[in-house]
Every structure is written in C-alpha cells, then in structure tokens.
Amino acid sequence: MEQKIIRVGSRKSQLAMIQTNTVIESLSAAHPGVSFQVVSMETIGDKIQDVALPKIGISGVFTKELDAALLLNHVDIVVHSMKDCPALLPDNLVIGSIIKRDSPYDVVVMSLKNKGKTLAELPEGSVVGTSSLRRVAQVSRIHPHLKFESIRGSLNSRLEKLDEGDKYAALILAEAGLSRMGWENRLSERLADSGCLYAVSQGAIGVECRADDKVTLSLLDSIADRETTLQCVAERSFIRNLGVGYKAPVCVHCEITRDEIHLRGAVYSLDGHETQVLDTRALLHPDGQRTAKGEQMPANSSSFMSIAVGNTATREEMSVAQRIGLKLAEEFLKSNAKDVLMTAKVSTENSILQERSRRELVA
C-alpha cells in the first residue's frame, strides 16, 4: 500500500522550520504510516523588513501566502505561530489543531555589553528594540526612562543587529521563540515578573487545513491540546470583538482548569500612560456535566474563531470560551477604555497612511 504523503506549508525562517518540524514529529509519532514533505515560502511580512508591523497596514502579513497555497491545493496543512493568525481565517480554512502552548510571555535580551543588567538598570535614553505596540506601551509605563525603536527581521537577524551594532541596548522577544531556537542563555529578564501580560495566542503553534478535509482534520486532532485550544478560542474572540486588531495595545492572560476559564484583558494608550485591566470567568460545564473525551460531537459542530471542533476540547467548552471573550470585549467597550482604544487605532491608521505615502514617493 502506498504511504500517504502530507504536504506541509511553512515560512522559511529558522524558527518557522523548527516549529514545523515540531509538529511533524508529533504527527509522525501518532501516525507512523504517514510521511511529510515541507513546502517553504516567503510571506509579505518576510519580504517587507523596513517597516514596523503595525505600519504595514495589512492583516495576516505572515499568513496570506500560506492560506493561498492551501486554497489552491498546493499544500495540505500549514504550520503557524497562532499569534500571527487573524482571528477569523478565510472561508473554507480552519485551524485543525493547536499543540500544547509554550511560555506565552515576553523576555528581555540584553546586548553583550549590557549582559547581566535589567531594564531598570539601563541608562536614561537607552534604546530597546521592538515593533510591538503592546510591548512598547506596557514596558514604557514601567520604565519611562527608556526609548523604543522598531526592529524587524528573523530572530537571527534581530540578534545580529543587537550584538553587532551600537543602536540597541536590548530587545524584547517572545520567550517561546527564544526557547525554540535554543537561546535560553540570552534571556536577561522575564517581563511576567513585572506584571506584563502577553499577546493573543502568543506561544501557541497551530496547524491550518481546508475545512472540508475530514481525513486531515482527524489526523490533526490527535495532537491537539485542550487547554491551549480553549485559551486561543477565548483570546481570539476577545481581540476580534474589541474591533481594533493589531492597531492598539491589547494584551491578555487566560487560565483553564478542568471546569473553569478565567480571562483577563488589558488595553493601553500608545504611550502606556492610560490603561485599564478587566477580567471575567465562567464555568466550562455550567450544568455540571462534561462531555467525555472521544464522545461523538453534535452534528452541527464546526469551528469557533476558525478553530475546528475535535475530540480534545468539546463543542460546549469551545462555545463557552468564545462567549467569555465576547463578554470581556463588551465590558471594555462599555468602559472608558473604548476611548483609549479608538484613539490608539486612529493614530496607528494615520501612521499607516503616512508610511504608504512615503513608500509611494520613493517608488
């Protein structure tokens, strides 16, 4: 019998390939009769390296080309950092599986000459590299003596800019990416220790496929993680219903127990001076009954926040997770935080227009 081959779409960066191989290893262990072929490609986000991500003005800058490859049947699955995925995917595509989440928090990597220091110990005016509105807002609120400038590129190229140049005193990076690259020795400080929350779905790896590919969906379900799946549904529902996308500093913290979900969110002004933190919680099984793992899903099950229903997290649990994200977003939009969000969104949109005008002038 001919061995089944799954074509796996991936970005070309070293980190992306490490994440893709992690997924392939898990799938291979669960399905030894299946082989995998990696198809790598560049995305818009990989090609545009001289513009801060919020100023590009396009949703899904790291996913569009991979989505197109799936829709055109050039690949069978695609591996993503869930943080890069829009809250809703194109029609006919779903996240078929999300594996167990690594650390969702941010960390500080110091330049070699500042090794051993913390952000608080850096001199006045030191430049910290990050392109994230969320990271700038949170960290500038805690450390107003620092300056922040955009830095783009793969993890390899960003570390090279840090170590070989004099511009940056430190970088802020995702701990999960640093760990996957095997660079834990460069970690100088965990921002979780300062109370900083994290980006929606940060630290989670998802596998996307066509929504009507039932065979592949079944295969992917074998490596899904319940807790991470529910966290991603809740967090993606929250950011989607806030309606600001990547254009305002928004962060989250989500905890799952067997029977309860607790979601905390925070919004910031771009300079970090204004902030509001709210949280909510809900029972995952309000009737006291939990659907047993492996129990047949209802006939109308599909997906929540473009994440397919499987046997790991039940449809009922995913529905609760989606509703709690909506509930928290509605609480923010009823509060003074709405003005903070809208001001940040308009400012970012103006920056996008200015960047487009600049690029047109130099074209």
Side-chain angles (χ1 to χ4, degrees):
M1 184 175 179
E2 186 177 350
Q3 187 175 41
K4 181 176 177 59
I5 298 175
I6 299 290
R7 298 162 299 170
V8 186
S10 173
R11 292 168 59 198
K12 290 184 175 180
S13 72
Q14 183 181 355
L15 177 58
M17 295 303 295
I18 288 172
Q19 294 174 169
T20 296
N21 288 328
T22 297
V23 168
I24 289 174
E25 288 172 6
S26 295
L27 287 171
S28 296
H31 305 278
V34 179
S35 61
F36 299 87
Q37 176 187 1
V38 176
V39 180
S40 62
M41 60 194 78
E42 285 190 319
T43 65
I44 297 171
D46 297 315
K47 295 172 184 176
I48 301 177
Q49 294 291 320
D50 60 341
V51 181
L53 286 175
K55 293 184 179 181
I56 294 178
I58 302 172
S59 176
V61 294
F62 292 117
T63 62
K64 285 183 178 293
E65 286 79 3
L66 294 161
D67 289 344
L70 266 176
L71 290 170
L72 293 170
N73 200 27
H74 294 166
V75 297
D76 301 302
I77 63 175
V78 166
V79 179
H80 292 297
S81 291
M82 285 299 295
K83 182 178 69 170
D84 296 335
C85 289
L88 291 180
L89 300 179
D91 290 344
N92 303 319
L93 298 180
V94 292
I95 300 297
S97 181
I98 306 175
I99 65 174
K100 186 171 177 58
R101 193 177 203 168
D102 291 323
S103 169
Y105 291 102
D106 294 321
V107 295
V108 178
V109 176
M110 288 290 172
S111 65
L112 296 177
K113 68 179 181 181
N114 288 310
K115 187 174 182 180
K117 293 182 180 179
T118 64
L119 291 178
E121 295 167 334
L122 290 176
E124 180 87 20
S126 295
V127 175
V128 176
T130 177
S131 294
S132 164
L133 299 178
R134 173 188 56 84
R135 289 167 177 162
V136 171
Q138 288 193 105
V139 179
S140 61
R141 183 178 178 86
I142 302 169
H143 302 292
H145 68 293
L146 300 175
K147 293 182 179 180
F148 299 86
E149 292 197 21
S150 175
I151 184 168
R152 290 290 317 285
S154 65
L155 273 181
N156 309 64
S157 64
R158 279 180 278 171
L159 275 184
E160 186 176 321
K161 292 173 185 177
L162 175 68
D163 291 340
E164 297 183 5
D166 295 324
K167 181 176 182 178
Y168 302 102
L171 303 180
I172 302 176
L173 303 171
E175 183 173 10
L178 199 70
S179 176
R180 290 167 189 159
M181 294 288 283
W183 296 341
E184 294 93 339
N185 63 313
R186 293 301 304 269
L187 193 159
S188 301
E189 181 179 357
R190 283 187 173 87
L191 293 182
D193 298 337
S194 302
C196 291
L197 305 186
Y198 43 83
V200 167
S201 298
Q202 183 162 303
I205 298 173
V207 191
E208 185 182 17
C209 67
R210 289 177 289 276
D212 61 357
D213 188 348
K214 303 305 180 185
V215 173
T216 298
L217 281 167
S218 177
L219 180 142
L220 295 179
D221 189 47
S222 64
I223 63 170
D225 180 75
R226 171 181 175 265
E227 180 176 324
T228 306
T229 298
L230 295 176
Q231 288 172 334
C232 287
V233 170
E235 293 169 19
R236 286 159 64 83
S237 176
F238 172 59
I239 193 72
R240 171 70 177 178
N241 287 291
L242 277 182
V244 295
Y246 57 86
K247 297 176 182 177
V250 176
C251 46
V252 295
H253 180 273
C254 188
E255 290 183 331
I256 306 289
T257 64
R258 179 174 175 83
D259 295 311
E260 186 177 64
I261 180 169
H262 179 205
L263 180 64
R264 178 183 299 123
V267 302
Y268 290 81
S269 59
L270 292 176
D271 60 10
H273 291 169
E274 298 178 83
T275 185
Q276 183 158 354
V277 181
L278 296 173
D279 71 314
T280 187
R281 62 182 70 230
L283 293 175
L284 287 166
H285 319 105
D287 60 358
Q289 299 296 318
R290 183 173 189 271
T291 305
K293 182 176 179 180
E295 183 175 329
Q296 184 67 35
M297 291 295 103
N300 63 343
S301 64
S302 54
S303 65
F304 293 87
M305 301 314 300
S306 295
I307 300 172
V309 175
N311 288 320
T312 304
T314 70
R315 186 179 195 276
E316 292 76 12
E317 290 174 331
M318 293 176 73
S319 178
V320 170
Q322 181 169 287
R323 290 199 303 270
I324 199 173
L326 169 62
K327 179 183 177 183
L328 187 61
E330 289 176 339
E331 290 179 5
F332 271 104
L333 294 176
K334 291 176 184 176
S335 72
N336 295 334
K338 181 176 180 179
D339 291 335
V340 174
L341 286 167
M342 293 305 111
T343 299
K345 181 180 179 182
V346 169
S347 179
T348 301
E349 289 173 341
N350 288 336
S351 296
I352 291 169
L353 293 174
Q354 292 169 9
E355 179 57 32
R356 286 177 181 168
S357 297
R358 182 191 72 80
R359 295 179 76 84
E360 289 172 359
L361 288 174
V362 300

